[in-house]
Amino acid sequence: MARKKAQGSSSVSVARCFNEAQRSISVHKKLVKALCKRLAEDGAMLVLKELAPCLAHLMLVFSRDTHVERVVRFVVSFVTHPVDESDAKLLEEQEQLVEALLSWLLTMTKASEKSVRYRSCQLIAGVLSHLPAHVSLPNNLIQELRAQVSCRLRDKVPQVRAQAARALARFQEGGDDGEFADDEITAAYQQLVAGDRNKEVRKVVLASLAVSTHTLKSIFMHTRDTCDSVRRTAYLVLASKVPMSALSIKQRNDALRRGLRDRMPSVKQAAQVMLKQWYKETQEQLKAASGERPTESETVLSVLDSLDVEAYETECELVVKELLDSNLVNAVSLVRELDASENHTLKRKTEDANGGECLSSACALMWRVLCAAISREAKEQGKAAALTSGTESAVHASQVTHKLDTLEQVLPSSSEGFVSLVDFHVQSKFGLRFVVKQLLLLACECVEFADATSRMLGEVVFKTLASERGNENLFRSKIAGEDEEDYECGLFCQGSNGMWEAALMKFGAKVFGSSRTCMHQLISLAMNRIVPGASAEDLVQGCVLLNTCFETCPSFGCIDSEMIPELAAHVMNACVTHEAVAVRRESIKLLGMFMLHSSCANEGLLAVFTTALKSDHYQVKTQAAKFFLDLAHMNGPKYAQRKFAQDGSISECPVEMLKECLNVDAGASELLSEEEADSDDKKEFRKVVVEGFLKLMTNNSKYGSDYAWTEGEQCDIFTKLAFLNFDKECGSYAPMQQCISVFFDVYSMLHPYTYQIVCASVLPVVKEAVRRELKPRVFGQVVRFMTYLIQRAPAQDAEAVVSTRQKVATSLICEMVAQVSEESVWEEEEEQMKQILPSLVKILLKLDAQSFNRDATKIMGALLSRLPKDDKIFATKDFALVLDAFATGEENTSPALEAQATALYDQYVAMKSGQDTEAVEAEIEEEDDEEAVEEPAQVEEAEEEEAEAEKENEEEAAPEVKVAQVQHKSPPPRRVLRSRNTK
């Protein structure tokens, strides 16, 4: 009866609606109204009876086809369509339909077919996300939904997990305190977002996770996610759900720095959305507090104050520039607003040092960034006016005039007035070092010292800042990362980052007219501080000023080479043996600058660097390591060994000493002690060493043959770096892990030569992984990692790439034949062989044998035919694919081809034997060196034991002697020989 009624009426069928809905979204609205009319006429149960079979067909499709997604969207729109409250019957029927549909979909979430689980969770998530306010679900259905859908969070299919996470978003309960700390769904979300490897799952969970103090860390940590789409989602969540006041000052600056500097445009745009939201939020807060709409300058100053300008200068500068680039504020209007305010103008009375009239830190930073932006825009538009003509040129010229007139109006009327403003802040009773630095940089950008009077005043201020420390307030640095108003008196050694010295150097070059004159003035002033018996702060500041001279000089010719030995001796006497670590650290850094600028003319200083590298504090070791690595970067990794170690200037090659730090078990290195295993200074030292070797590996082909590493040495270093990539200690220190990740991401694609190094390292890395007895999971990761690298070939010189891959395939096949050709192997070695051979087969599959030379492929196929196919190691699908790829096309191998294969294999065995002999000789030499340093009494005891052992061996039979010889060459005697022929 119901079917006849439906057919006889003018109501549309569900199947017909589905057919039309999958064609276009434009008809959805009309179809929803038709089905709502049908729902009011026939009731929820009859509609569901017709709806369920149609959905059953839909659930069999797993792929996200456009027409299927349209139908899913249509079903959600129909079920959750807003209904007029006056239509009581339709409201009741809709509530019944939602309840019945969710109950039916719950039964589908347990299906064995992944497409059914996926579509059912997708529909549940869509219905619950758009559920009208008047629809209330029974408690038993809600509990059943929580229980059943929560199980899908652990589904093996990531698409199902993502849809289940969407469905549970509205079931999170904040508890009494609203922190969601005790909610099971929130806890599952946090576990999922932290450990799930699928980026889509992490994105959905981040968007669904309830925001509170308890969950904020889980959201914030994914601003550093490896996937750019997840990072983008994290920033959008911070923009839409997290107010700026909920984040600490450090979190705010970290989020801005990472987002606005992200390499992906989509992530950067999301960070810009977050910044704009913070700007609007600050604007609303100021309006609520004063009752009036704040000016743009007041809003920007408030934003900067909330970011702590002094501790995070770079981030705050980035914020102001981003606000200008996004056209949210205008530089010209901002400087005019600042100039109109008595508290923020640069045209202030400077007769007395009244602290109330000094600029604030945020205001000083704004003045510098805004004036620099206006000056830069004026120069660019001036160039544009010169390159164009007519009306366009006139427009550019008028804009240049407008900007320059603005700068002339807001800045002090003369350079003398600006110098007086700087001196006024220097003499202030408050700690205004940050403000003075901003004013110095502003003077470098926008002030001209053209007359003698202004230059003389500028020189006085420069010498005062460079030589006097009587006014301690000027040299106060805020400790970054602390929210409290905690200041410590001191200079570079207590929290500064060298930016003050760089600003002072830049100002001096502007005043004196050249960098060379400024450097000579600064050197003479700094050397007055570096004297024996001076305070640690004076010594550190003197060294930092000199370091700034060398780091900022445009060329080596800015400093007379005759001055360097005198300066080095001066620093040596006062600083190298000082008790303060900061003094020794800065002095070693300065001496390194001296050596690099003088082309290592003073070889007597090399012993100082070697001693610091071996036995000093890790901060000092880091500077010594930087010197040796910089020397290697300039001349080649073997430069120090060839020039100094052989001449006797230093006893050991420093680069070889630093190479020991690349080992995973680097604790045995004399440079890395176990006493400070988890110290940040030790991690930073090792990071510097790793980063230096990564750069040397990248640029090794640029050095001469005498000073460059050989291919074997590069493969050895590459092997160490590959295992360092999987080291837990390395992974726990983000800067070091980031350096290694970036290196491996691009190294194989730089040049055919670097790709050759990667391919030549495949077999050594796999063998080393077997020797280290890694866990099967880690061993598999290493093999997949090397397979991934050899697939990332450079775009240029395709023939060289194919040739390199052909050599790798040859060496892998020869190694496989060598592994199984032994008549007998040790039991533990056989276990290792079972691990290494399948890995080599998997690598062979990725080498694209179809591109190889046909004759070479036949030879490799002949070698593969020697492998025992009945052995369970080779009775795999992968090995069958390898045989097909290297098939010779002949049933029986010809004698000529077999002879070629034998010759190739013998050549490989000879090369391998030569390498093994060198390794054994090196071990024997190490053992001889160890025995040479033994005490005479220990040597006599060893000789007596050897004599007794020889006497016992003479009494044994000849066969036993033969077995003993085998055991002497093999691993420990507890292992048991097992024949290859034994099954």
Side-chain angles (χ1 to χ4, degrees):
M1 294 296 294
R3 183 180 298 274
K4 290 181 180 180
K5 182 179 178 180
Q7 292 176 353
S9 66
S10 59
S11 301
V12 67
S13 67
V14 175
R16 180 181 174 185
C17 290
F18 272 37
N19 289 334
E20 295 184 13
Q22 68 179 341
R23 295 191 181 98
S24 175
I25 298 179
S26 60
V27 298
H28 283 194
K29 188 175 181 181
K30 181 182 71 173
L31 295 176
V32 166
K33 290 183 178 180
L35 281 184
C36 286
K37 183 179 179 181
R38 170 81 182 278
L39 178 63
E41 294 176 356
D42 297 346
M45 292 299 102
L46 289 178
V47 172
L48 180 62
K49 188 176 180 180
E50 191 176 349
L51 180 64
C54 297
L55 289 178
H57 288 285
L58 184 73
M59 290 182 177
L60 297 177
V61 182
F62 182 74
S63 59
R64 298 194 62 178
D65 297 332
T66 304
H67 61 283
V68 178
E69 296 300 323
R70 286 177 186 152
V71 176
V72 172
R73 181 175 176 180
F74 166 71
V75 172
V76 173
S77 301
F78 161 58
V79 175
T80 61
H81 181 67
V83 179
D84 191 0
E85 295 182 359
S86 61
D87 195 345
K89 183 178 179 182
L90 185 57
L91 289 173
E92 182 181 356
E93 294 296 337
Q94 185 184 40
E95 186 170 344
Q96 291 181 7
L97 178 62
V98 170
E99 182 179 347
L101 179 62
L102 290 177
S103 300
W104 180 76
L105 290 174
L106 272 180
T107 61
M108 298 292 104
T109 59
K110 303 177 183 178
S112 58
E113 183 64 33
K114 65 179 182 180
S115 61
V116 178
R117 300 197 305 273
Y118 167 61
R119 292 299 177 183
S120 60
C121 289
Q122 183 185 25
L123 287 168
I124 292 174
V127 171
L128 292 178
S129 299
H130 300 84
L131 201 63
H134 67 271
V135 176
S136 58
L137 300 178
N139 290 332
N140 58 347
L141 179 59
I142 293 177
Q143 296 301 323
E144 191 175 357
L145 281 170
R146 288 174 60 98
Q148 294 295 335
V149 181
S150 295
C151 294
R152 294 301 102 207
L153 292 177
R154 299 184 295 273
D155 197 280
K156 63 181 179 180
V157 181
Q159 290 88 337
V160 178
R161 298 198 299 272
Q163 295 302 327
R166 281 187 58 213
L168 293 171
R170 298 183 66 175
F171 291 146
Q172 299 176 85
E173 298 178 355
D176 297 336
D177 55 357
E179 291 294 326
F180 299 90
D182 300 327
D183 184 61
E184 295 180 357
I185 295 178
T186 304
Y189 275 172
Q190 289 180 298
Q191 185 178 2
L192 202 61
V193 75
D196 201 291
R197 297 183 179 181
N198 187 270
K199 62 180 181 180
E200 295 299 328
V201 176
R202 299 199 300 274
K203 283 173 54 179
V204 172
V205 174
L206 279 176
S208 305
L209 186 62
V211 176
S212 67
T213 307
H214 175 68
T215 61
L216 188 57
K217 183 178 180 181
S218 300
I219 299 173
F220 188 79
M221 67 181 292
H222 284 279
T223 57
R224 299 179 60 182
D225 196 278
T226 56
C227 178
D228 58 300
S229 60
V230 179
R231 296 198 300 274
R232 176 180 177 274
T233 303
Y235 277 106
L236 292 178
V237 171
L238 289 176
S240 60
K241 297 182 180 180
V242 182
M244 183 171 60
S245 57
L247 299 173
S248 66
I249 293 178
K250 186 177 186 305
Q251 288 176 330
R252 298 170 193 170
N253 287 278
D254 289 345
L256 289 169
R257 181 180 64 255
R258 297 168 189 166
L260 297 178
R261 289 181 174 177
D262 199 282
R263 62 182 181 274
M264 301 302 296
S266 60
V267 182
K268 187 175 181 180
Q269 291 175 1
Q272 292 171 349
V273 172
M274 180 188 69
L275 177 59
K276 292 178 182 178
Q277 182 62 32
W278 288 1
Y279 179 85
K280 295 178 181 178
E281 179 185 333
T282 305
Q283 199 172 41
E284 292 174 359
Q285 291 176 354
L286 293 175
K287 182 178 180 180
S290 61
E292 299 178 356
R293 182 179 178 83
T295 61
E296 291 182 352
S297 60
E298 292 175 345
T299 307
V300 176
L301 285 172
S302 181
V303 171
L304 294 180
D305 288 334
S306 65
L307 297 177
D308 193 350
V309 181
E310 293 191 22
Y312 299 97
E313 177 185 357
T314 305
E315 289 79 1
C316 293
E317 180 180 353
L318 188 63
V319 166
V320 177
K321 290 181 178 179
E322 194 59 45
L323 292 175
L324 294 175
D325 294 339
S326 61
N327 296 323
L328 202 61
V329 294
N330 181 267
V332 174
S333 61
L334 281 178
V335 295
R336 291 188 181 278
E337 289 180 4
L338 292 175
D339 184 58
S341 173
E342 294 182 0
N343 296 328
H344 303 145
T345 182
L346 295 178
K347 301 174 182 178
R348 57 187 62 237
K349 297 179 181 180
T350 58
E351 288 78 11
D352 56 352
N354 184 4
E357 298 179 357
C358 293
L359 289 173
S360 65
S361 298
C363 184
L365 177 73
M366 273 191 65
W367 272 113
R368 176 177 70 82
V369 177
L370 294 175
C371 291
I374 294 174
S375 177
R376 182 176 61 254
E377 290 175 0
K379 292 178 182 178
E380 293 176 355
Q381 291 174 349
K383 293 179 181 179
L387 296 175
T388 56
S389 60
T391 305
E392 185 178 359
S393 177
V395 171
H396 287 303
S398 63
Q399 292 177 349
V400 171
T401 303
H402 175 64
K403 295 181 186 300
L404 294 180
D405 290 344
T406 300
L407 287 179
E408 186 176 354
Q409 293 172 8
V410 299
L411 293 175
S413 57
S414 63
S415 54
E416 294 90 338
F418 197 94
V419 173
S420 300
L421 177 67
V422 175
D423 185 65
F424 165 72
H425 286 84
V426 170
Q427 302 300 330
S428 172
K429 63 181 180 180
F430 295 101
L432 298 176
R433 180 186 185 206
F434 182 87
V435 176
V436 173
K437 181 177 69 173
Q438 303 305 315
L439 293 176
L440 293 179
L441 294 174
L442 177 58
C444 297
E445 291 285 346
C446 304
V447 179
E448 293 294 335
F449 295 91
D451 57 289
T453 304
S454 61
R455 287 198 300 270
M456 181 183 66
L457 292 175
E459 291 175 6
V460 172
V461 173
F462 174 82
K463 293 179 180 179
T464 301
L465 296 176
S467 60
E468 293 184 4
R469 294 185 68 252
N471 186 0
E472 292 288 347
N473 294 312
L474 179 64
F475 301 102
R476 289 183 178 179
S477 301
K478 185 163 187 183
I479 307 301
E482 297 183 7
D483 297 336
E484 301 177 358
E485 296 295 326
D486 182 17
Y487 290 83
E488 289 189 13
C489 201
L491 297 170
F492 187 87
C493 57
Q494 290 185 344
S496 182
N497 51 14
M499 296 176 67
W500 160 264
E501 291 77 14
L504 183 62
M505 180 70 187
K506 192 174 181 181
F507 177 75
K510 182 83 172 181
V511 170
F512 289 103
S514 67
S515 299
R516 186 182 182 90
T517 305
C518 174
M519 292 177 69
H520 283 282
Q521 291 286 339
L522 199 57
I523 288 173
S524 62
L525 294 171
M527 294 309 293
N528 293 331
R529 291 187 179 180
I530 306 177
V531 293
S535 64
E537 287 80 4
D538 280 329
L539 294 175
V540 169
Q541 184 64 13
C543 291
V544 171
L545 288 173
L546 291 179
N547 275 321
T548 305
C549 289
F550 284 93
E551 289 173 353
T552 57
C553 65
S555 64
F556 288 173
C558 290
I559 301 177
D560 296 333
S561 57
E562 293 79 7
M563 296 176 57
I564 292 181
E566 180 182 355
L567 294 176
H570 203 76
V571 174
M572 283 273 293
N573 295 333
C575 303
V576 171
T577 59
H578 198 277
E579 61 181 358
V581 174
V583 176
R584 300 200 304 274
R585 177 193 67 217
E586 296 304 321
S587 63
I588 289 295
K589 180 180 179 181
L590 180 58
L591 292 175
M593 290 288 183
F594 290 158
M595 291 288 286
L596 294 177
H597 277 261
S598 62
S599 300
C600 299
N602 191 352
E603 298 181 2
L605 291 177
L606 291 172
V608 176
F609 290 102
T610 305
T611 304
L613 185 63
K614 287 183 177 181
S615 58
D616 213 322
H617 190 274
Y618 274 114
Q619 293 184 13
V620 187
K621 284 184 177 182
T622 301
Q623 298 302 326
K626 285 183 178 179
F627 162 71
F628 285 121
L629 291 171
D630 288 341
L631 186 64
H633 293 155
M634 295 174 63
N635 304 284
K638 290 187 175 181
Y639 177 80
Q641 180 181 2
R642 296 290 175 86
K643 186 169 183 179
F644 303 125
Q646 294 181 358
D647 298 341
S649 301
I650 52 178
S651 58
E652 300 179 67
C653 178
V655 177
E656 293 298 321
M657 294 168 58
L658 293 171
K659 189 191 296 185
E660 298 299 323
C661 299
L662 301 181
N663 296 328
V664 174
D665 52 346
S669 173
E670 61 177 331
L671 301 183
L672 298 173
S673 61
E674 295 292 340
E675 297 177 358
E676 304 177 25
D678 298 328
S679 66
D680 292 338
D681 292 334
K682 179 180 178 180
K683 293 179 181 178
E684 180 64 22
F685 167 72
R686 199 175 183 191
K687 190 268 289 187
V688 167
V689 175
V690 171
E691 184 180 2
F693 274 88
L694 295 177
K695 293 179 180 177
L696 289 174
M697 286 286 291
T698 304
N699 300 314
N700 186 71
S701 59
K702 300 179 182 179
Y703 306 120
S705 57
D706 293 338
Y707 298 142
W709 281 320
T710 62
E711 181 178 334
E713 290 172 327
Q714 291 182 79
C715 290
D716 178 52
I717 295 175
F718 188 90
T719 302
K720 295 177 184 293
L721 293 172
F723 284 99
L724 202 61
N725 187 43
F726 294 90
D727 184 33
K728 290 183 179 180
E729 181 180 348
C730 172
S732 63
Y733 192 54
M736 181 165 29
Q737 182 63 44
Q738 184 178 11
C739 291
I740 297 175
S741 300
V742 172
F743 169 78
F744 282 118
D745 194 43
V746 300
Y747 180 70
S748 61
M749 300 188 297
L750 290 177
H751 191 271
Y753 178 75
T754 59
Y755 182 73
Q756 182 179 348
I757 298 299
V758 173
C759 292
S761 305
V762 170
L763 192 55
V765 169
V766 175
K767 284 187 172 182
E768 182 66 16
V770 174
R771 188 190 68 81
R772 292 173 182 266
E773 298 181 354
L774 300 177
K775 295 180 180 179
R777 180 180 60 83
V778 181
F779 180 81
Q781 291 177 351
V782 173
V783 174
R784 287 192 295 271
F785 176 69
M786 295 305 299
T787 306
Y788 165 77
L789 291 182
I790 62 176
Q791 291 178 286
R792 295 173 63 83
Q796 66 273 24
D797 202 351
E799 294 182 1
V801 172
V802 173
S803 177
T804 301
R805 288 181 174 177
Q806 187 171 303
K807 292 178 182 177
V808 174
T810 302
S811 62
L812 294 180
I813 294 174
C814 290
E815 180 64 25
M816 293 169 64
V817 175
Q819 288 284 340
V820 301
S821 62
E822 299 289 341
E823 295 182 358
S824 60
V825 296
W826 297 104
E827 183 178 5
E828 293 187 8
E829 291 178 351
E830 184 175 7
E831 296 298 326
Q832 293 179 354
M833 188 176 64
K834 291 179 180 179
Q835 191 176 15
I836 191 175
L837 291 180
S839 303
L840 300 183
V841 171
K842 291 182 181 297
I843 296 174
L844 278 173
L845 283 175
K846 302 296 183 181
L847 290 179
D848 189 17
Q850 301 298 327
S851 61
F852 293 171
N853 180 276
R854 187 58 185 167
D855 295 334
T857 305
K858 290 182 178 181
I859 296 175
M860 287 184 259
L863 286 173
L864 285 172
S865 64
R866 301 181 181 184
L867 298 175
K869 301 179 182 59
D870 55 342
D871 195 311
K872 62 180 182 179
I873 298 179
F874 300 103
T876 61
K877 182 179 179 181
D878 290 341
F879 185 68
L881 293 175
V882 170
L883 289 178
D884 293 340
F886 291 91
T888 59
E890 303 175 1
E891 294 183 1
N892 298 320
T893 305
S894 63
L897 185 61
E898 190 67 30
Q900 291 178 346
T902 302
L904 180 63
Y905 175 72
D906 292 341
Q907 181 182 359
Y908 175 80
V909 172
M911 181 186 65
K912 181 181 176 183
S913 301
Q915 294 176 351
D916 294 343
T917 303
E918 292 177 0
V920 171
E921 289 177 354
E923 292 180 0
I924 293 175
E925 290 179 0
E926 292 179 0
E927 293 177 357
D928 292 342
D929 293 339
E930 293 176 358
E931 292 177 357
V933 297
E934 288 184 351
E935 296 294 332
Q938 296 177 348
V939 174
E940 292 178 1
E941 291 179 1
E943 291 178 353
E944 291 178 359
E945 292 178 358
E946 291 178 1
E948 293 179 359
E950 290 177 0
K951 186 176 180 180
E952 293 178 358
N953 289 336
E954 291 175 356
E955 297 176 356
E956 294 179 354
E960 296 176 354
V961 174
K962 187 174 181 179
V963 174
Q965 291 175 355
V966 176
Q967 291 180 347
H968 177 70
K969 295 181 180 180
S970 66
R974 67 176 183 274
R975 303 180 183 179
V976 181
L977 277 173
R978 179 174 296 178
S979 174
R980 285 293 307 162
N981 298 324
T982 303
K983 293 184 180 181

